[in-house]
Amino acid sequence: MHFLPEAIDDYILEHSAKEPEFLAKLNRETNHKVLQPRMLSGNYQGRILSIISKLIAPKSILEIGTYTGYSALCLAEGLPKDGMLHTIDINEELHDFQQKYFQASEFKNKIRQYIGDAREIIPKIDSKLDLVFIDADKPNYPAYFELIIDKMNSGGLILSDNVLWSGKVVETLKAEDESTRALLEYNKMLAEDERLETVILPIRDGLTLSRVI
Ligand code: SAH
Ligand code: CA
């Protein structure tokens, strides 16, 4: 979902950091070979993830929802020499695609892939976290938050994607719409949590920044 007029989107892209060719290739291959390519972060959001990660220089990143690895590779750009990115996806069919790109990248020794349900895997990751990107199934966002909050280092940042859900968060809620219901609960939860300082950015489908105090 794009909230801005197309001409503005185009202008922004023309005047923002360019997508590295390696990621453009991953983007194209995802579009050719994988279902639901719209889930991939893409050029603009990818450059935002990259710049945020570089500003934080996180020793430890957790990504929930790898998909084809695009956002993981953007976030990895900010890792220091001894940094590590952990990324989880439940869909085992994506594993080989992800691995091919991770191995071919300059971050191959800094990315650890996990296949399985994030709710089971997060408790097994024995590491404090400086940066988290929550981008998997929306009904579990509140559960993911509860699983990570005690692992966050003070000053760390939690990024939550698709929090405006194509604008559905301000429309009448349909009884069967689990994702919107969960996101409404989640957005309220973050805004009211006194351990956090939260702002929603109207980037793409909505990206929340929550700084852990
Ligand atoms: N972060 C990616 C896009 C992620 S799409 C990018 O920006 O390019 C969402 C992903 O979440 C899908 O690949 C899906 O398989 C995964 N997912 C869904 N439910 C999950 C769960 N319970 N645990 C881990 N991953 C899950
Ligand atoms: Ca997303």
Side-chain angles (χ1 to χ4, degrees):
M1 171 86 188
H2 292 256
F3 294 108
L4 292 171
E6 213 177 313
I8 296 286
D9 272 343
D10 292 345
Y11 183 85
I12 289 171
L13 269 188
E14 276 166 33
H15 296 83
S16 298
K18 295 285 165 278
E19 182 180 43
E21 178 47 36
F22 184 66
L23 291 176
K25 188 168 164 253
L26 189 164
N27 198 340
R28 285 194 297 274
E29 195 175 337
T30 300
N31 275 276
H32 288 147
K33 297 188 183 160
V34 187
L35 292 173
Q36 293 183 279
R38 281 171 48 116
M39 295 204 300
L40 181 145
S41 274
N43 182 357
Y44 179 53
Q45 183 163 315
R47 290 306 87 208
I48 291 167
L49 295 176
S50 163
I51 212 166
I52 289 174
S53 185
K54 285 170 186 159
L55 286 167
I56 297 180
K59 279 208 159 179
S60 178
I61 305 177
L62 172 66
E63 176 180 65
I64 310 174
T66 319
Y67 189 50
T68 52
Y70 190 96
S71 49
L73 288 163
C74 295
L75 293 166
E77 291 177 32
L79 288 169
K81 264 202 175 68
D82 56 347
M84 182 62 71
L85 179 145
H86 307 267
T87 183
I88 311 171
D89 204 289
I90 199 167
N91 184 353
E92 57 189 325
E93 289 174 15
L94 295 169
H95 178 268
D96 292 355
F97 188 110
Q98 296 161 1
Q99 194 174 43
K100 182 175 101 172
Y101 276 92
F102 292 161
Q103 286 301 319
S105 79
E106 59 187 293
F107 311 111
K108 65 174 177 186
N109 297 321
K110 294 181 177 176
I111 299 180
R112 214 165 277 166
Q113 281 171 271
Y114 301 78
I115 297 292
D117 190 328
R119 285 171 304 175
E120 284 161 27
I121 291 173
I122 296 166
K124 294 181 190 156
I125 297 176
D126 185 22
S127 169
K128 281 286 197 176
L129 302 168
D130 300 305
L131 178 60
V132 174
F133 184 43
I134 302 181
D135 194 21
D137 53 324
K138 311 311 160 191
N140 278 320
Y141 272 31
Y144 296 143
F145 176 76
E146 297 297 349
L147 287 170
I148 58 152
I149 184 66
D150 291 333
K151 292 177 180 281
M152 295 299 302
N153 279 322
S154 171
L157 186 70
I158 303 167
L159 300 169
S160 311
D161 198 27
N162 308 99
V163 295
L164 299 177
W165 209 228
S166 305
K168 290 201 181 80
V169 290
V170 295
E171 293 168 8
T172 309
L173 181 65
K174 297 199 177 85
E176 71 285 0
D177 187 348
E178 291 300 327
S179 294
T180 306
R181 187 188 310 280
L183 285 169
L184 287 168
E185 178 198 335
Y186 184 72
N187 290 338
K188 186 164 184 287
M189 209 171 119
L190 293 189
E192 291 174 355
D193 196 312
E194 287 177 354
R195 294 166 293 184
L196 306 174
E197 216 176 309
T198 288
V199 285
I200 296 180
L201 304 180
I203 287 167
R204 219 166 167 253
D205 197 21
L207 179 69
T208 303
L209 272 55
S210 303
R211 180 177 173 272
V212 180
I213 295 167

